[in-house]
Amino acid sequence: MKQKKKWYDYLWIVSLTYLVLGFFNILFAWLGMACFIIPLVISIVKGSKGYCNRYCGRGQLFALLGGRFGLSRKRDMPKWMKSKWFRYGFLIFFFAMFFQMLWNTYLVFAGAQDLKQVVTLLWTFKLPWHWAYHGTLFSDGVAQFAFGFYSVMLTSTVLGVVTMILFKPRSWCVYCPMGTMTQLICKAKAGACKKEGLR
Amino acid sequence: MQETKKIRKKASIPQKECVACGCCVKVCLLGAISIYKGIYAQVDTDKCVGCGKCAKECPASIICVAETQEGQVK
Ligand code: SF4
Ligand code: SF4
Ligand code: SF4
């Protein structure tokens, strides 16, 4: 018996296209908001990880590259990497960085800071990215958010690819902030927090 | 050693370590795994044949395929 491919099994194409588009016009980065909003809505409304389990193109991309294309050593992850403190810690760190990015966007909106045409990789390395910026019809803040958001997406892709190569194809899914967060929401929804002693 | 009792291999998943990513669900050809309320993966031991595909796929490497007796994991 073979599992039939559904339309949503091809969403990795969307993820790949998204990453490529960011090299041509940074404003496409805004589309990535879908990767934040859809999983949250599914977990809050339906109380399931339907996004991870079905629709996430990023997870599919890693499964494809690491599985079919064999770009993975397929080793076990180190224990600390799948521990709760690392997963929750990374979630907190990720969001702290995310809010810092929003703050920078706000400063540009407010005119207190100039637009920086860079993509920041791994929260440290500033890559010049002016070639993907052709002006915006709106405030500079709109473009600043695009640069910031694309930085987030590229950083998580790079981390995901590194752990894909070192460990299992979808190792990223173990510490993916969206995955961790939607699981937490589902836990809260199911009232399982008490049982787990998490409070 | 050579027992005639029903001894079959089944997958088992520790709930607390599962991140509910669903990688195991996708590879199980028998549809024996489901994600319970987005919290953890569950194995239907009636359907599972112990092929071990899910254990290989699980990014957290937490699935254990072991011999069971009468549906109970030892
Ligand atoms: S854990 Fe993250 S990358 Fe993996 S399927 Fe879920 S949202 Fe996608
Ligand atoms: S061992 Fe094989 S049959 Fe059993 S749950 Fe895993 S993939 Fe499915
Ligand atoms: S692949 Fe592993 S971590 Fe993911 S849902 Fe299955 S058992 Fe849980």
Side-chain angles (χ1 to χ4, degrees):
Chain A
M1 196 161 63
K2 251 192 181 170
Q3 275 184 347
K4 249 171 95 189
K5 290 244 190 216
K6 304 257 171 56
W7 64 269
Y8 50 72
D9 287 321
Y10 296 95
L11 287 173
W12 58 270
I13 299 169
V14 177
S15 289
L16 194 61
T17 313
Y18 174 80
L19 289 169
V20 173
L21 284 177
F23 280 81
F24 293 100
N25 192 330
I26 197 69
L27 293 178
F28 281 116
W30 275 87
L31 297 175
M33 288 295 283
C35 301
F36 272 60
I37 295 165
I38 298 170
L40 285 179
V41 168
I42 294 180
S43 64
I44 292 168
V45 175
K46 289 183 66 189
S48 84
K49 281 208 11 167
Y51 184 76
C52 290
N53 303 164
R54 283 213 172 119
Y55 310 113
C56 180
R58 170 180 301 251
Q60 291 168 14
L61 195 59
F62 290 144
L64 203 71
L65 292 176
R68 181 94 50 92
F69 290 91
L71 296 173
S72 170
R73 295 195 311 158
K74 300 196 177 151
R75 302 281 166 84
D76 293 350
M77 294 174 93
K79 254 209 175 107
W80 60 266
M81 219 171 188
K82 44 191 186 187
S83 67
K84 285 228 156 87
W85 69 260
F86 179 73
R87 290 179 61 216
Y88 295 154
F90 189 70
L91 175 69
I92 292 165
F93 171 75
F94 195 86
F95 270 85
M97 291 295 129
F98 191 77
F99 283 113
Q100 194 207 24
M101 185 274 280
L102 288 183
W103 176 245
N104 280 333
T105 305
Y106 167 75
L107 289 180
V108 173
F109 254 118
Q113 230 178 50
D114 286 332
L115 172 65
K116 293 196 191 72
Q117 297 177 27
V118 290
V119 162
T120 314
L121 201 60
L122 298 167
W123 308 281
T124 322
F125 309 107
K126 302 213 184 304
L127 314 177
W129 214 267
H130 49 271
W131 34 273
Y133 183 60
H134 319 287
T136 165
L137 295 171
F138 318 99
S139 151
D140 271 359
V142 172
Q144 186 63 63
F145 179 80
F147 279 110
F149 199 83
Y150 194 71
S151 302
V152 170
M153 297 300 273
L154 206 62
T155 296
S156 51
T157 308
V158 166
L159 284 177
V161 166
V162 170
T163 48
M164 170 190 84
I165 294 170
L166 290 177
F167 312 116
K168 298 249 180 142
R170 275 179 67 173
S171 291
W172 164 257
C173 293
V174 172
Y175 62 99
C176 166
M178 289 320 289
T180 309
M181 188 156 66
T182 46
Q183 191 189 23
L184 279 176
I185 293 171
C186 290
K187 272 188 185 170
K189 254 207 124 177
C193 285
K194 257 186 250 156
K195 224 170 53 188
E196 282 241 336
L198 274 167
R199 229 158 304 160
Chain B
M1 281 292 281
Q2 296 272 311
E3 283 186 69
T4 41
K5 262 190 188 169
K6 268 191 193 170
I7 296 175
R8 293 215 175 102
K9 283 194 165 187
K10 303 276 179 201
S12 69
I13 302 172
Q15 285 177 15
K16 287 202 170 174
E17 287 161 64
C18 179
V19 299
C21 60
C23 302
C24 50
V25 178
K26 282 199 178 166
V27 293
C28 180
L29 297 177
L30 293 154
I33 314 182
S34 56
I35 304 287
Y36 176 76
K37 290 190 179 177
I39 306 173
Y40 54 80
Q42 272 178 334
V43 181
D44 180 341
T45 43
D46 289 338
K47 285 188 191 161
C48 177
V49 294
C51 67
K53 267 196 149 199
C54 53
K56 252 192 218 149
E57 194 74 11
C58 176
S61 314
I62 56 166
I63 304 180
C64 176
V65 182
E67 285 178 356
T68 60
Q69 249 172 319
E70 290 142 54
Q72 274 186 328
V73 181
K74 263 195 271 186

